[in-house]
Amino acid sequence: MQRIGMAVLCLMLGACGAVAPKYTPSAENQLALRNSDLVHVNVGSIGVSSETINKATVRGGKFSTPSASFNAYLQDSIQTELSQAGLLDPASHDVIGGTMTRNDFDGSGMSVGTADLAADFWIDHDGKRIYQGQKTAHFEWKSSFAGMTAIPAAAQGYMQAVQKLVHELLADPDFQKALHK
Amino acid sequence: MITILARKTRQLASLTILGAMLVMAGCAHPVSLRADVNYPSDKTVDTAVGYFISDANRKLEVTTPAGGGDKMRYFPYRDLEPAILSTLGSVFRKVYSVPETGRAAYIADHHLTFVFEPVLTTDSSSHSAIFWPATDFDLTIKVTALNPAGQTVWNQEFTGHGHVDKGRSLVDVPPAKAAAAEAFDKLRKALMDDPQFQESASR
């Protein structure tokens, strides 16, 4: 009985690991890519400004992504958006790169969870830099006292925060100008 | 003394379980309906179309049954809009999201040949009395196509059903993915088979 009670308490409050969902393209990002007459582009690596970028917890448990790291998740997200829009080409002379500079994630709130993300992005054309921009995103989601609800909500919220950060890049007029046909 | 301590511990464990049951009873778990629909867009009709989803529908959160007496909640229009876009984008060269305000001017400015209005209906269930993730999901997409004058020129309904025995995910809904794939495949085929859409490039 005591063991069952402890297990139930663990499920209620969290204290278990959580993984962000596989990245899903957003409609806003697809609209920004599909109707802008952009050239095909490749995605290089997205690095980190500090190792603390890849340390995140939610309700006492480790929080991770389906990719190897949080910066790899951001890289995969941009690739997924470009692929869905039919614009990803690994052989392209235009390569998107970047550095993730902020990855603050807080799913501890009983009513609201927050994520604050930031990254420096660039585009190189045959090694020559043709675009550089700093992007930030703040996202809030509805949280809960119960870990069984709050943890999946935090995982969803994190993916939406990444969608928002990626949108800041893809909808940037300078980004679109750099990749215009 | 030991007996009293053991009794107190049992009482605490019972209270914990009771408390958890009260908190979790009828819990609505937040999930995302990932469609994973990605059609090629290399053979499209050379015309521009739009689709309309109201702001209210984009914010619409629905709750449907799941397993173990629990429910799940999600945003069907927000989650499936990329699939709508991918489906239309695989048939027509340009696809725009028509805004609520200034609709007539937007349609004229972007030379839209048709505006598609999807209505999504969902339902879910589970065979499990223990695990909450749904094992079955139903999606119905009712699509109306309007011409630039706002007259209905096409109206059809497409259904999809998904079922999984395993693969219980806490953040997305595998049977919804299967249901969406089936329904959007049907929608895409109908658009590709209909002469009025395939011949719209010359308009």
Side-chain angles (χ1 to χ4, degrees), chain A residues 131-133 135 167-177:
Chain A
Y131 167 84
Q132 188 149 17
K135 301 296 168 197
H167 183 72
E168 291 298 316
L169 171 69
L170 303 182
D172 180 350
D174 290 335
F175 172 89
Q176 300 210 344
K177 192 176 165 189

Side-chain angles (χ1 to χ4, degrees), chain B residues 32-142:
Chain B
S32 175
L33 307 182
R34 288 200 303 109
D36 279 357
V37 167
N38 188 7
Y39 298 116
S41 53
D42 51 342
K43 289 180 185 172
T44 55
V45 180
D46 189 17
T47 192
V49 301
Y51 67 90
F52 175 73
I53 296 174
S54 69
D55 294 342
N57 274 345
R58 278 200 179 91
K59 292 174 188 166
L60 178 70
E61 186 177 35
V62 302
T63 302
T64 53
D70 282 8
K71 298 181 176 71
M72 59 184 195
R73 56 185 166 90
Y74 47 90
F75 297 86
Y77 287 91
R78 186 198 70 188
D79 292 347
L80 296 176
E81 188 176 343
I84 294 167
L85 188 49
S86 180
T87 305
L88 293 174
S90 71
V91 180
F92 305 103
R93 196 172 73 83
K94 292 271 187 189
V95 183
Y96 295 91
S97 171
V98 177
E100 266 192 65
T101 53
R103 178 180 167 127
Y106 190 92
I107 291 168
D109 290 349
H110 291 81
H111 309 291
L112 304 185
T113 317
F114 301 102
V115 175
F116 293 89
E117 295 190 349
V119 176
L120 307 179
T121 311
T122 58
D123 197 9
S124 59
S125 60
S126 173
H127 297 312
S128 175
I130 301 168
F131 300 107
W132 70 260
T135 56
D136 291 82
F137 195 89
D138 289 290
L139 170 67
T140 301
I141 313 170
K142 187 179 176 186

Side-chain angles (χ1 to χ4, degrees), chain A residues 11 16 29 33 35 57 62-63 66 71 73 82 92 150 157 178:
Chain A
L11 285 171
C16 310
N29 290 339
L33 287 172
N35 295 326
T57 58
K62 186 184 174 191
F63 180 61
N71 52 305
Y73 186 71
L82 289 165
S92 172

Side-chain angles (χ1 to χ4, degrees), chain A residues 79-97:
Chain A
Q79 271 180 342
T80 303
E81 294 283 5
L82 289 165
S83 173
Q84 178 93 359
L87 291 172
L88 183 68
D89 178 8
S92 172
H93 293 265
D94 294 290
V95 182
I96 299 171

Side-chain angles (χ1 to χ4, degrees), chain A residues 46-50 52-55 70-71 74 99-106 114-121 135-139 158 161-162 165:
Chain A
I46 303 287
V48 287
S49 60
S50 152
T52 57
I53 293 285
N54 279 315
K55 288 177 183 159
F70 285 95
N71 52 305
L74 178 57
T99 302
M100 196 171 194
T101 56
R102 189 176 183 192
N103 189 35
D104 293 341
F105 172 75
D106 186 0
T114 62
D116 286 280
L117 311 179
D120 295 337
F121 293 107
K135 301 296 168 197
T136 60
H138 171 80
F139 188 75
Y158 184 79
V162 173
L165 181 66

Side-chain angles (χ1 to χ4, degrees), chain B residues 172-185:
Chain B
D172 61 10
V173 189
K177 206 184 300 183
E182 184 186 344
F184 282 106
D185 279 354

